[in-house]
Amino acid sequence: MRIAGAALNQIPFDWDNNLRTIRTAIEQAKAAGVELLCLPELCLTGYGCEDLFLSDWLPAEALARLQDIRPWTDGICVCVGLPVRLQHRTYNTAAVLRDGQILGFAAKQFLANDGVHYEPRFFVAWPAGGETTVEFGGETWPLGDLTFEHRGVRFGFEICEDAWRADDMRPACRLRGKVDMIVNPSASHFAMSKTDSRYQLVLKASRNFHCTYLYANLLGNEAGRIIYDGEILVARNGHLLKRNQLLSFREVDLEWVDVDFGYDLAPAAEIVPLPAPDEYKELNQAMSLALFDYLRKARSRGFVLSLSGGADSCFCAVGVAEMVRLGVEELGLEEFKRRSGRFDGAPVAVQQGAGGEATQTLQDTPAAPGAPAPPALSDNQQLVNALLTCAYQGTINSSDDTFESAKELADSLGARFFNWTIDEEVAGYVGKISGALGRELAWETDDLALQNIQARVRAPGIWLLANVQNCLLLTTSNRSEASVGYCTMDGDTAGSISPIAGVDKAFVKQWLRWAETELGYGALRHVNALQPTAELRPLAANQTDERDLMPYPLLNRIERLAFYERLAPAAVLAQLVAETPAADAGQLRTYVRRFYTLWSRNQWKRERYAPSFHLDDYNVDPRSWLRFPILSGGFGAELAAL
């Protein structure tokens, strides 16, 4: 039998988009002679509908829309994910359709309730062995712990989290010997190096339960924060039969393979491991796809970036350029332009605000009279020029090094680049408050306030530039800064999305060195030669991030021990001492106290961060991975006892 999985790039309750990709997948499968097709978990509604799953209308609408799919299944068996609501309870199901008929609904038995997943809030787990019925339009179908048969092949289901449970608990343990194949429609989030875990999971399941295992994941940045890699895996008795390239820019990624169910393939003696993952490449592909999907799904005209010349903003700028390079490489120039929605020629945008609709003319900035003609740009640079606008907003405390870093990088990417200073605006605010207080503000007495006002004064102008162009404003804070609040609210945190807020600063620096040497972004040599600095204090102070905080690798280690391993402060300190016996234990104690104090003090900042992408195995976003009280005891007793 020819079986297939299709990764789909969906949008929450965008019925037109979701039905179109489902139909495209079915048409491609039929053209390829596929007999059974698995589509991803909740692909009809999208996985990220959040509390709408608790409504009566969304599952009802999904069931009504499922009827539209029925005629497309003539001559093929298709598994479609959707929510079904019965007696005020919502179940996560996969419908099986064949020849225009609905055969039944398999229901998910285990719900993901860790990390970025909160499924028990929305869904009810289906009990093993249970069965009921669903009614719609005068027809009735079975729902529950079901198995099916297609052309002599018996199959059952594990839906995503079902497969991550122990072998003596998961549905597969009850399907062993009863089915020839297990089908797994999934919405498994991307994280660097995670694909190896998923690969091992599928291959071991196929061997341990003596079956063919068909796995299909969602694809892309579906709803804003979570990225899906679109992985498709087919394994049999521990042997890999099919695996696709991950993180495709295509809306539909179909992969098929022929399986001879009449041949008893001997179980694999060992699972052949995947090559070690390249996390720099993985992050690059994931962030590029996430930016592309966010751009088009937000119906934006591009990105605006306050390019300081430092590591974080340079990372974001290169991220947009890589979005273009990788997207064009896979889709082709014209298809990339069409899919982005930026190059439709529409000169006017109508934006809805509190005062009603506002029509806005969008046009490129003309060259100044007498200005030299810009150098010829490559096709990709022209796309970057249309999609990315950068501005260097200098002060008296800014250095020539960061300006050169920003300008040369922007020019090399093809981005539009502006340069202005904000000293006049800063002086205006400082003078106003000095007058109100009846004293001069000085670095000796008002250090933090004088740093923050510079960062905040940068926000209105860059926001205005983004609004005028109907673009998304990128904010550039990383996870390390978010952990300790090393940022200015309404300043460098201002923005529409925060692409790297889930990535630690040490990794940012390593990635930039990789991008310079492996991707050929030579202009990164400037930032790669600089120590990270906010450049908010006078230049004579030689301000650096690590002098203000602690070494970034140590900060990241404390963060992981504290909130990924969930250790108490004393246990974190003991672990650090054990790992670095040559280090000064007193200094380590100081750093641990500093981290926890700053962490507790700055939860309110993390609550207000722009939406960020989940890229690593954890993040500090309270709206996705890590919740913490805004007001707390701040580990006072625990730190005093160190």
Side-chain angles (χ1 to χ4, degrees):
M1 178 184 289
R2 183 163 292 181
I3 63 175
L8 306 181
N9 194 319
Q10 306 299 75
I11 304 173
F13 63 98
D14 186 334
W15 308 110
D16 291 343
N17 176 85
N18 297 350
L19 286 169
R20 177 173 52 78
T21 57
I22 289 170
R23 185 169 191 172
T24 298
I26 294 172
E27 290 173 349
Q28 289 181 6
K30 291 167 78 171
V34 169
E35 296 165 88
L36 185 145
L37 170 65
C38 174
L39 301 178
E41 180 180 9
L42 295 172
C43 62
L44 183 50
T45 55
Y47 179 83
C49 293
E50 304 284 353
D51 281 359
L52 286 179
F53 286 127
L54 299 173
S55 69
D56 290 328
W57 75 265
L58 183 80
E61 182 68 16
L63 193 56
R65 299 281 182 166
L66 184 67
Q67 312 311 310
D68 297 338
I69 300 174
R70 293 173 65 171
W72 307 340
T73 64
D74 184 39
I76 189 172
C77 184
V78 182
C79 309
V80 181
L82 75 157
V84 173
R85 192 160 173 83
L86 302 172
Q87 298 178 334
H88 307 294
R89 294 181 172 188
T90 306
Y91 299 98
N92 183 336
T93 78
V96 179
L97 292 79
R98 181 179 64 201
D99 294 328
Q101 300 300 313
I102 298 173
L103 305 185
F105 299 79
K108 191 171 185 176
Q109 298 177 34
F110 292 95
L111 303 177
N113 192 33
D114 60 344
V116 297
H117 297 289
Y118 298 86
E119 290 181 357
R121 178 180 175 91
F122 316 125
F123 302 108
V124 175
W126 189 262
E131 188 174 328
T132 186
T133 57
V134 179
E135 296 182 5
F136 182 88
E139 295 184 81
T140 302
W141 308 285
L143 180 149
D145 187 0
L146 307 177
T147 59
F148 301 86
E149 181 272 333
H150 181 58
R151 299 186 180 175
V153 174
R154 300 163 300 164
F155 65 96
F157 282 86
E158 290 190 317
I159 300 177
C160 200
E161 179 69 13
D162 288 339
W164 295 83
R165 299 305 173 106
D167 279 358
D168 61 350
M169 295 175 58
R170 58 192 287 184
C173 73
R174 294 180 294 278
L175 293 171
R176 183 183 175 94
K178 299 177 182 177
V179 300
D180 307 295
M181 178 168 61
I182 295 175
V183 178
N184 189 326
S186 279
S188 179
H189 68 273
F190 167 84
M192 290 184 288
S193 296
K194 182 182 177 183
T195 182
D196 185 65
S197 299
R198 201 185 290 129
Y199 167 87
Q200 292 286 336
L201 192 77
V202 169
L203 267 73
K204 287 178 180 177
S206 73
R207 183 181 64 181
N208 295 349
F209 300 107
H210 198 66
C211 67
T212 296
Y213 205 103
L214 171 59
Y215 177 97
N217 198 15
L218 279 172
L219 173 63
N221 181 355
E222 188 202 62
R225 287 187 173 87
I226 309 304
I227 304 158
Y228 302 96
D229 59 18
E231 185 158 34
I232 297 168
L233 290 163
V234 185
R236 190 171 189 219
N237 295 350
H239 302 277
L240 177 67
L241 304 184
K242 195 73 175 183
R243 180 172 182 260
N244 64 333
Q245 291 294 315
L246 308 186
L247 296 160
S248 171
F249 278 72
R250 289 177 288 175
E251 290 184 299
V252 176
D253 185 9
L254 177 82
E255 300 287 343
W256 58 265
V257 67
D258 292 325
V259 178
D260 183 356
F261 286 95
Y263 173 66
D264 189 15
L265 181 65
E270 60 178 347
I271 304 299
V272 178
L274 290 176
D278 184 335
E279 291 194 339
Y280 301 130
K281 265 182 146 172
E282 281 189 313
L283 182 138
N284 189 42
Q285 187 81 27
M287 192 171 78
S288 297
L289 178 58
L291 286 169
F292 182 67
D293 280 345
Y294 207 111
L295 172 73
R296 64 187 187 85
K297 293 178 183 182
R299 301 174 181 84
S300 181
R301 304 286 294 179
F303 302 100
V304 168
L305 173 66
S306 185
L307 184 58
S308 69
D312 300 324
S313 62
C314 287
F315 191 123
C316 292
V318 173
V320 176
E322 280 297 287
M323 174 196 80
V324 168
R325 182 183 71 84
L326 293 171
V328 170
E329 187 176 273
E330 182 175 5
L331 301 176
L333 181 65
E334 293 307 317
E335 179 65 4
F336 177 89
K337 291 168 71 174
R338 184 192 71 80
R339 289 274 310 286
S340 74
R342 165 64 174 84
F343 302 91
D344 54 12
V348 173
V350 178
Q351 301 191 47
Q352 186 72 38
E357 291 187 349
T359 302
Q360 184 173 340
T361 301
L362 306 172
Q363 60 187 26
D364 293 331
T365 304
L377 300 178
S378 68
D379 287 343
N380 283 3
Q381 286 176 319
Q382 290 180 50
L383 291 177
V384 173
N385 186 265
L387 291 169
L388 178 62
T389 301
C390 302
Y392 182 85
Q393 305 186 82
T395 71
I396 194 173
N397 300 321
S398 302
S399 67
D400 293 340
D401 290 335
T402 53
F403 173 75
E404 289 300 326
S405 171
K407 178 167 176 34
E408 185 171 336
L409 180 62
D411 290 346
S412 71
L413 302 179
R416 297 169 67 190
F417 180 77
F418 299 107
N419 170 34
W420 60 70
T421 63
I422 59 167
D423 289 319
E424 184 178 347
E425 291 86 346
V426 171
Y429 279 110
V430 171
K432 189 183 296 291
I433 299 305
S434 294
L437 296 177
R439 68 172 181 84
E440 293 296 317
L441 301 187
W443 286 104
E444 294 76 15
T445 54
D446 308 292
D447 178 284
L448 191 59
L450 290 174
Q451 290 190 68
N452 283 336
I453 190 59
Q454 295 169 73
R456 289 195 174 106
V457 164
R458 289 187 170 108
I462 203 72
W463 263 126
L464 179 59
L465 184 60
N467 289 164
V468 165
Q469 298 186 108
N470 195 24
C471 288
L472 294 163
L473 178 58
L474 299 176
T475 182
T476 61
S477 289
N478 58 70
R479 190 178 75 211
S480 305
E481 293 173 351
S483 288
V484 292
Y486 194 67
C487 54
T488 301
M489 293 314 301
D490 308 310
D492 55 323
T493 57
S496 313
I497 56 172
S498 188
I500 63 170
V503 183
D504 68 76
K505 185 59 171 259
F507 190 91
V508 167
K509 293 165 65 178
Q510 294 162 1
W511 188 91
L512 288 170
R513 289 191 286 271
W514 173 82
E516 179 188 353
T517 57
E518 299 299 318
L519 300 180
Y521 290 99
L524 291 175
R525 69 186 185 279
H526 293 293
V527 70
N528 285 336
L530 297 173
Q531 279 290 319
T533 173
E535 287 197 332
L536 296 174
R537 290 195 181 102
L539 290 173
N542 294 318
Q543 182 181 24
T544 69
D545 293 2
E546 293 186 325
R547 187 175 292 137
D548 285 351
L549 299 169
M550 66 188 76
Y552 274 120
L554 178 60
L555 189 158
N556 299 331
R557 184 62 180 149
I558 296 173
E559 175 194 88
R560 174 171 282 272
L561 291 171
F563 295 111
Y564 186 79
E565 303 293 343
R566 297 187 169 95
L567 300 182
V572 170
L573 178 59
Q575 182 69 26
L576 294 176
V577 170
E579 292 175 354
T580 55
D584 183 329
Q587 185 63 64
L588 290 177
R589 183 180 296 108
T590 298
Y591 286 149
V592 169
R593 283 177 172 154
R594 182 176 300 166
F595 175 86
Y596 276 98
T597 300
L598 292 173
W599 170 276
S600 303
R601 186 183 297 164
N602 288 291
Q603 179 63 22
W604 69 278
K605 291 186 178 182
R606 291 185 291 275
E607 298 282 349
R608 294 186 55 209
Y609 259 60
S612 61
F613 302 150
H614 181 77
L615 296 164
D616 207 347
D617 55 356
Y618 75 102
N619 68 58
V620 296
D621 182 351
R623 290 157 294 184
S624 66
W625 200 90
L626 179 57
R627 297 189 176 188
F628 189 84
I630 297 172
L631 303 176
S632 70
F635 301 96
E638 291 78 8
L639 296 181
L642 290 182

